[in-house]
Amino acid sequence: QEIFGPVLTVYVYPEKRYKEVLELIDTTTPYGLTGALFAQEKRIIDEARNLLRNAAGNFYINDKSTGAVVAQQPFGGSRISGTNDKPGGPHYILRWTSPQAVKETHVPLTDWRYAYMQ
């Protein structure tokens, strides 16, 4: 079932089994709205991004998994989570494709809150 709301899943796994975990992430649900990856090694980031390329409509790297920019970035999801064009805007033609938005932050986050929450 698809759940809307803040959901945090934590799964502790042995470091050497991370490829198995990536496969688990990619194959255990028909939904794929948003996903986030936190890693330091560029090789691991590239490998995970490749293995999870169809796992989420919006995919964040080393950043919060919220905050799609309405009318500038498609937001919907992958698989049965949507059509990737919910807010409309210039991406409507992409309805017939399956884009994946990837955002990678190169400066470590210092806080989980947004500035307006202070």
Side-chain angles (χ1 to χ4, degrees):
Q1 118 185 13
E2 190 163 24
I3 301 169
F4 290 93
V7 176
L8 173 65
T9 301
V10 177
Y11 181 73
V12 180
Y13 59 91
E15 182 179 352
K16 295 192 183 299
R17 295 185 58 197
Y18 82 94
K19 286 186 185 180
E20 293 174 41
V21 172
L22 293 176
E23 183 177 340
L24 181 70
I25 291 166
D26 190 39
T27 60
T28 56
T29 180
Y31 301 101
L33 185 60
T34 299
L37 166 72
F38 291 86
Q40 294 179 354
E41 294 181 41
K42 187 66 174 163
R43 179 184 62 81
I44 299 298
I45 292 169
D46 292 342
E47 184 173 48
R49 179 176 27 203
N50 182 51
L51 291 171
L52 299 174
R53 69 186 169 276
N54 296 313
N58 285 353
F59 191 68
Y60 298 85
I61 299 171
N62 292 328
D63 201 4
K64 294 173 265 190
S65 61
T66 59
V69 181
V70 175
Q72 293 182 26
Q73 166 180 353
F75 185 81
S78 184
R79 301 177 179 160
I80 66 172
S81 283
T83 59
N84 294 327
D85 65 348
K86 299 230 178 352
H91 298 288
Y92 183 73
I93 192 69
L94 297 176
R95 179 181 186 96
W96 314 110
T97 65
S98 188
Q100 178 186 49
V102 176
K103 179 182 184 237
E104 180 174 355
T105 300
H106 295 279
V107 178
L109 295 175
T110 58
D111 194 1
W112 59 269
R113 295 169 291 199
Y114 289 98
Y116 67 84
M117 296 173 76
Q118 308 276 340

